[in-house]
Amino acid sequence: GAVVSQHPSWVICKSGTSVKIECRSLDFQATTMFWYRQFPKQSLMLMATSNEGSKATYEQGVEKDKFLINHASLTLSTLTVTSAHPEDSSFYICSAIPVLPNTEAFFGQGTRLTVV
Amino acid sequence: DAKTTQPNSMESNEEEPVHLPCNHSTISGTDYIHWYRQLPSQGPEYVIHGLTSNVNNRMASLAIAEDRKSSTLILHRATLRDAAVYYCILRRAGNMLTFGGGTRLMVKP
């Protein structure tokens, strides 16, 4: 089946620094990718929809200047957490859906971000 | 997006069938019923999806009520590796997946 690769799987950074997370669809093109955040023992919360070649669409309450999303190609979207704070520590997950209408979504393995 | 309601948790014995229910009374005609599961510290994994008819695949079966207001995910023989959070999600073509609380399935040996 189709694979979505997310990198890194875990990262520890200092407060105030920026961290970039990559999401790649390995064997299909994804004009749209999605970024989720998940806190311990909670469900996934959609942060933003990443559109290839255009600006991302952010969910209410998600700061677009803090969570920079770039979707430069049909197989790569990146999420950059800028000026990270400890409260940004979370599990970040990307998802991609092939263009065909009746298909399942594919998820990356997630990135565990810890800000110290 | 139409919402789904699932029990918070369920328990099963190993090698017994498990029926995970999901209510979606506000489903629209174009909503597909998707099921995903998430193991600890991993991204969600696709299980099965359907529109109107029951569906079977190597992982599970999906039974959809005739009025489509509810569905049941059936694991025919639960194993310890099936312990996960199972999410029932309604999705329209091309739209993102909106996750609810899901059902935490615990499998006892």
Side-chain angles (χ1 to χ4, degrees), chain A residues 34 36 38 42-44 46 49 91 93 97 101-105 107-109 112, chain B residues 32 34 36 38 41-44 46 49 87 91 93-97 99-101:
Chain A
F34 306 96
Y36 295 84
Q38 185 176 33
Q42 294 186 21
S43 185
L44 283 75
L46 181 67
T49 301
F91 193 51
I93 304 166
I97 302 176
N102 180 20
T103 57
E104 64 266 35
F107 290 84
Q109 65 268 46
R112 174 77 57 194
Chain B
Y32 286 85
H34 281 240
Y36 293 78
Q38 185 180 26
S41 297
Q42 294 187 27
Y46 169 77
H49 76 284
Y87 295 99
R91 178 185 167 226
N95 282 2
M96 80 289 283
L97 297 170
F99 286 78

Side-chain angles (χ1 to χ4, degrees), chain A residues 38-53:
Chain A
Q38 185 176 33
F39 292 107
K41 298 191 185 301
Q42 294 186 21
S43 185
L44 283 75
M45 290 176 43
L46 181 67
M47 298 175 65
T49 301
S50 168
N51 302 299
E52 188 268 336

Side-chain angles (χ1 to χ4, degrees), chain A residues 73-111:
Chain A
S73 77
L74 289 172
T75 58
L76 174 64
S77 175
T78 61
L79 168 68
T80 302
V81 182
T82 63
S83 187
H85 288 178
E87 54 264 35
D88 297 325
S89 298
S90 187
F91 193 51
Y92 292 86
I93 304 166
C94 71
S95 171
I97 302 176
V99 176
L100 296 173
N102 180 20
T103 57
E104 64 266 35
F106 298 95
F107 290 84
Q109 65 268 46
T111 297

Side-chain angles (χ1 to χ4, degrees), chain B residues 3 5 11 14 38 41 43 57 59 73 82 86 103:
Chain B
K3 295 199 173 187
T5 303
E11 268 191 8
E14 195 176 12
Q38 185 180 26
S41 297
N57 66 21
M59 288 183 71
L73 178 70
D82 292 323
Y86 287 78
T103 296

